[in-house]
């Protein structure tokens, strides 16, 4: 799809705000204009700092205060760097301090859910809604998550101010998992999260069918726009989302001085 620059910029800003709301864990606090999140789960967006305001403290003092909170939580200190990060030169300042960059991702947006419409699921396949604990277990098995990470994922979904809806795409005759995914809807915008296909089922179109089904379900609830995040080193997924009509809006990455952060 085509989208003019002003529309893309506005949709990108809305996607960033919606993504922050949808990824909020119970363990979060503000430190001088920085939003710190301390979930013990696997998702970095829920265990990092989003530097949303410049604040008044010198950078080293602010980092020291944040470090104390992450140390108390037993987590490596991680900052998420986006086009909206404040101060605007924070990325440069951290690089000069020797903080390494890792896990860059693209935020992609879809201006109309009509663009992703498609045929119904083929015969023999069914989309089943599951609750947060069941979804966390399903996606945790595919990710290789620990028990603590699965529990934290379920906790975050249950406590989220933006309701999550998880789904399993399965064979109807024997419940074989073909793909899984979820969306979080805030008003007329949804975010697609945790789209996974088992390794042995990849390359068979299950991921695309799942995403189209999720977008149809969200549209039926009143959603009109969508966003998602995908790793820059995952061109297969990027091509899938492009077929659905998603376009790249902006890129973000993480920085840390702790080697554990990139593990």
């Amino acid at each position: 799809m085509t989208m003019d620059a002003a529309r893309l910029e506005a949709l990108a800003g809305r996607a960033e705000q919606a993504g922050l709301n949808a990824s909020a864990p119970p363990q979060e606090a503000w430190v001088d204009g920085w939003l710190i999140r301390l979930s013990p789960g696997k998702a970095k967006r829920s265990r990092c700092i989003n530097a949303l305001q410049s604040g008044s403290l010198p950078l080293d003092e602010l980092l020291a205060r944040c470090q104390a909170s992450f140390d108390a939580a037993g987590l490596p200190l991680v900052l998420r760097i986006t086009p909206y990060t404040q101060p605007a030169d924070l990325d440069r300042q951290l690089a000069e301090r020797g903080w390494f960059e890792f896990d860059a991702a693209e935020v992609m947006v879809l201006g109309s859910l009509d663009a992703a419409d498609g045929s119904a699921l083929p015969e023999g396949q069914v989309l089943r809604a599951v609750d947060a604990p069941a979804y966390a277990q399903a996606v945790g098995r595919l990710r290789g998550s620990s028990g603590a990470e699965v529990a934290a994922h379920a906790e975050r979904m249950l406590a989220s101010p933006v309701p999550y809806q998880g789904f399993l795409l399965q064979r109807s005759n024997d419940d074989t998992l073909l793909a899984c995914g979820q969306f979080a809807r805030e008003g007329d915008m949804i975010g697609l999260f945790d789209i996974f296909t088992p390794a042995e089922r990849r390359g068979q179109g299950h991921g695309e069918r799942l995403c189209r089904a999720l977008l149809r379900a969200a549209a039926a609830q009143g959603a009109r726009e969508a966003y998602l995040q995908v790793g820059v080193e995952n061109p297969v997924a990027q091509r899938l989302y492009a077929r659905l009509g998603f376009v790249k809006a902006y890129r973000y990455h993480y920085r840390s001085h702790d080697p554990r952060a990139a593990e």
Side-chain angles (χ1 to χ4, degrees):
M1 64 174 290
T2 59
M3 189 181 307
D4 64 61
R7 169 90 161 106
L8 181 59
E9 182 179 2
L11 191 51
R14 291 188 62 205
E16 175 65 11
Q17 289 297 317
L20 286 173
N21 291 341
S23 59
Q27 310 89 343
E28 71 174 21
W30 287 90
V31 179
D32 197 38
W34 285 10
L35 178 61
I36 65 173
R37 293 178 161 175
L38 301 168
S39 170
K42 202 174 186 73
K44 286 184 294 299
R45 61 182 178 272
S46 296
R47 53 177 175 86
C48 70
I49 296 170
N50 285 278
L52 302 179
Q53 302 172 29
S54 293
S56 59
L57 294 174
L59 179 57
D60 287 335
E61 182 178 346
L62 182 51
L63 289 173
R65 290 194 182 189
C66 293
Q67 183 71 66
S69 296
F70 278 79
D71 287 346
L75 297 170
L77 179 61
V78 174
L79 277 94
R80 180 172 174 263
I81 304 295
T82 78
Y84 309 101
T85 293
Q86 295 296 323
D89 66 343
L90 179 60
D91 193 40
R92 177 187 60 79
Q93 293 191 62
L94 294 177
E96 290 175 349
R97 285 167 168 76
W99 289 47
F100 61 91
E101 174 182 339
F102 64 105
D103 285 1
E106 302 281 1
V107 173
M108 302 181 72
V109 296
L110 180 65
S112 171
L113 269 60
D114 293 340
D117 197 13
S119 58
L121 292 173
E123 184 177 354
Q125 295 185 12
V126 63
L127 189 69
R128 291 196 170 101
V130 294
D131 61 18
Y135 187 82
Q137 286 286 348
V139 78
R141 285 192 293 269
L142 296 179
R143 283 173 161 171
S145 300
S146 67
E149 289 170 337
V150 169
H153 189 186
E155 175 189 45
R156 177 167 58 82
M157 287 190 290
L158 288 168
S160 174
V162 183
Y164 274 84
Q165 299 177 53
F167 297 87
L168 308 180
L169 179 64
Q170 297 175 308
R171 282 204 304 241
S172 55
N173 61 345
D174 61 5
D175 293 339
T176 296
L177 181 64
L178 305 176
C180 64
Q182 57 183 342
F183 64 80
R185 183 172 70 88
E186 183 176 2
D188 62 359
M189 174 170 274
I190 66 154
L192 295 184
F193 291 93
D194 300 316
I195 306 296
F196 276 85
T197 301
E200 68 275 13
R201 305 293 172 191
R202 292 173 186 165
Q204 301 171 34
H206 299 312
E208 183 169 345
R209 282 191 288 274
L210 168 72
C211 288
R212 290 188 184 278
L214 294 181
L215 293 172
R216 286 196 297 272
Q221 296 178 20
R224 297 186 299 171
E225 302 168 332
Y227 67 93
L228 55 83
Q229 297 128 9
V230 58
V232 298
E233 296 182 354
N234 191 349
V236 174
Q238 290 182 39
R239 288 194 294 270
L240 184 160
Y241 299 134
R243 289 196 298 273
L244 299 175
F246 283 87
V247 296
K248 294 179 182 179
Y250 61 94
R251 180 176 293 192
Y252 69 86
H253 61 268
Y254 295 92
R255 280 199 185 272
S256 181
H257 64 92
D258 189 330
R260 296 178 300 160
E263 295 176 357

